[in-house]
Amino acid sequence: MSPQHDWMTLHRYQFGEVIDGRGKPVPAPIGADAWRFLPASPIGFPSPKGTDGLPMALSDQWGGFGLYPSRAAAEAVFNSPDAYFTVQGRPIEEWHALVIPYAHRGGVKLRDEVQNDSAIKVAQEDPKGPLVILTTAGYTSRGPAELPRIIKFFAGIEAVLAFYSTHPGNLRLAHFLGAGVDGRDGLTMTLWRDDESMYSAAYQEGEHRRQLNIHRDTPLFDRSSFTRARVVSSKGTWDGLDPVKAIP
């Protein structure tokens, strides 16, 4: 395994109140090379929408990931997240994970510019373990002419995640909104019992395959990326338990 790969921390918080994230990014932890900590769009429930019809960055659920150049830097944040970043509300539940990315492809704006196939350095070999998938999508412009397809894309995300949530191999999922917070790309995070579950849900017949076909015929976004990663350690709870520890 290459010693040059990035390390990641994953985070998911449930707060006791709705937090307004519009134009209020949470500062990155010291040592993080990239940082996405964003409000979640509730799965199965209508998100608050602005006058443009798009979801607003208002949620009682927040989360995302940090990217680090070394295991030591990532472990420091995983072990003591409160010492490295300050959340904006009163947490009533939180979950954290230390992970190794082993595959990354596509274009994403994690930093000041869009990077293609290079935003995340991955391990040369799959380290095996519980599977996490991170996906992103973004736009060259978010002007009025783009609104219909952006709204359609958000509806598609909700449909895909609702479909995933019925799959017995899906452990947890979330969609985090980025544009309203800092103008960078949002993301989805899905945790899977095993690789076979993810492949059957994402690439066989179903809502995700249907949305890919729609995008192929009429593009719903200008760039996208996916990252596959393996959980090394996890702690805390997400909807009442640590989903990784629920894996047999």
Side-chain angles (χ1 to χ4, degrees):
M1 186 182 301
S2 168
Q4 301 302 316
H5 68 78
D6 288 323
W7 286 77
M8 301 179 79
T9 57
L10 307 181
H11 310 278
R12 189 269 184 181
Y13 284 77
Q14 174 73 55
F15 295 104
E17 64 278 341
V18 171
I19 308 299
D20 185 351
R22 291 174 291 183
K24 302 174 184 176
V26 174
I30 294 174
D33 180 58
W35 175 244
R36 309 302 293 130
F37 188 76
L38 306 165
S41 177
I43 306 304
F45 298 93
S47 299
K49 292 183 172 59
T51 56
D52 57 5
L54 296 177
M56 293 191 294
L58 301 167
S59 183
D60 62 352
Q61 302 168 47
W62 282 61
F65 70 87
L67 193 66
Y68 307 86
S70 69
R71 177 169 187 159
E75 279 190 329
V77 178
F78 170 74
N79 290 332
S80 303
D82 291 350
Y84 281 86
F85 64 94
T86 302
V87 298
Q88 299 170 354
R90 176 177 55 86
I92 58 177
E93 184 181 58
E94 56 187 275
W95 177 83
H96 309 275
L98 178 71
V99 308
I100 297 175
Y102 71 93
H104 171 74
R105 187 180 304 163
V108 58
K109 190 174 183 181
L110 296 184
R111 302 174 179 88
D112 292 332
E113 62 183 10
V114 175
Q115 294 173 279
N116 293 296
D117 300 330
S118 61
I120 297 174
K121 298 176 184 176
V122 301
Q124 292 183 347
E125 298 178 4
D126 181 352
K128 305 299 183 183
L131 175 65
V132 177
I133 302 294
L134 302 171
T135 65
T136 69
Y139 298 87
T140 303
S141 168
R142 295 178 67 91
E146 304 299 321
L147 284 180
R149 68 175 181 141
I150 297 175
I151 292 171
K152 186 175 181 180
F153 173 61
F154 276 117
I157 292 175
E158 289 290 312
V160 169
L161 295 185
F163 169 69
Y164 283 172
S165 71
T166 67
H167 196 287
N170 179 259
L171 299 175
R172 292 293 185 275
L173 48 79
H175 170 223
F176 300 108
L177 301 162
V181 177
D182 59 9
R184 297 179 180 178
D185 298 347
L187 68 132
T188 62
M189 180 192 301
T190 56
L191 283 68
W192 299 91
R193 185 175 302 278
D194 49 47
D195 293 22
E196 293 74 17
S197 296
M198 183 277 290
Y199 280 109
S200 68
Y203 298 110
Q204 295 181 12
E205 291 302 315
E207 187 61 35
H208 185 256
R209 171 56 59 187
R210 192 178 78 86
Q211 292 295 329
L212 289 176
N213 292 339
I214 292 172
H215 174 67
R216 178 195 61 201
D217 296 336
T218 306
L220 298 175
F221 44 82
D222 295 326
R223 62 178 178 268
S224 66
S225 77
F226 74 83
T227 303
R228 296 174 185 162
R230 301 293 187 182
V231 177
V232 175
S233 302
S234 65
K235 65 179 183 179
T237 62
W238 181 339
D239 291 343
L241 56 82
D242 184 338
V244 173
K245 292 181 172 58
I247 299 174

